[in-house]
Amino acid sequence: MSAAADPADAMRAYYARRAPEYERVYAKPERQADLRALEAWVAGAFAGRRVLEIACGTGWWTVHGARTAAHWLATDLNPQTLAIAAAKPLPPGKVEFATVDADAIEGLVGRGFDAAFAGCWWSHLPRQRLAGWLARLHALLPVRARVAFLDNRFVPGSSTPIARRDAAGDTWQLRRLDDGSVHELLKNFPTRDEALAAIGPRARAPQWIEFGHYWALAYTLD
Ligand SMILES: C[S@@+](CC[C@H](N)C(=O)[O-])C[C@H]1O[C@@H](n2cnc3c(N)ncnc32)[C@H](O)[C@@H]1O
């Protein structure tokens, strides 16, 4: 098992190593209908907006969101995932990439975003840090900014089993990569009520959508 002492660094290292095999998760047959619906949802969520994407990974959602956005800054901490994203066909002149630690987003202040998006990132945030991290993200955004997240729902037989739940209520999975390495990863599966409770006082008119294998949440900031 991977032995990084800091869970955040262990997660970064896991995704760096997983980059070449990452998009296999988007080939699962049972998720295809949800994925097509979510791709359309992301494409419609940010029309005309200047979007900050956190933890873009290989750019699966970047391609769809950037179709209608005015500008899209796709960020991730790992150069291995960013390189795959940057090699995708993207609308010319609209999309930029940057290496950014999601735990240091204050460095992006003043960039003129009026929207933010993250796919499959919420689930990796410890419960005790989630509301604080969302407040820090909101602090980068003006009134009427649009914020959207999507992430996995736990589906037995499709999701990696939960190996343990810790004292804080966070759930952990054991993930195996092609090279045989095994990594313990924090992966939470919030209910609608838990998610709505976390988004805080600036969030207005939240829309929560449940698909079979995913959830999506969008709201506007006061
Ligand atoms: C579950 S993947 C999500 C990728 C993509 N958004 C998607 O939905 O397919 C999580 C991503 O978080 C990135 N990551 C890990 N730690 C990070 C950090 N501290 N800051 C920014 N990105 C990070 C990984 O490189 C990986 O691309």
Side-chain angles (χ1 to χ4, degrees), residues 15 22 26 55-57 61 76-78 81 100-102 119-121 124:
Y15 279 111
Y22 179 79
Y26 291 123
C56 68
W61 306 110
D76 197 281
L77 190 51
N78 276 317
T81 52
V100 175
D101 185 343
C120 302
W121 174 248
H124 288 317

Side-chain angles (χ1 to χ4, degrees), residues 99 118 203 208:
T99 306
W208 170 268

Side-chain angles (χ1 to χ4, degrees), residues 18 22-39 60-61 120 151-161 173 175 187 189 211-214:
R18 185 179 166 193
Y22 179 79
E23 289 199 350
R24 247 187 263 154
V25 75
Y26 291 123
K28 291 192 176 197
E30 71 277 17
R31 299 188 185 182
Q32 295 308 303
D34 286 2
L35 288 168
R36 299 297 85 75
L38 278 163
E39 288 157 7
W60 188 271
W61 306 110
C120 302
D151 219 307
N152 302 100
R153 295 183 66 206
F154 185 81
V155 179
S158 182
S159 308
T160 304
Q173 296 173 325
R175 308 263 190 99
K187 178 84 178 174
F189 298 91
F211 299 84
H213 293 263
Y214 294 89

Side-chain angles (χ1 to χ4, degrees), residues 202-217:
R202 285 187 64 198
R204 286 287 166 270
Q207 298 168 290
W208 170 268
I209 310 170
E210 273 181 22
F211 299 84
H213 293 263
Y214 294 89
W215 58 262
L217 172 64

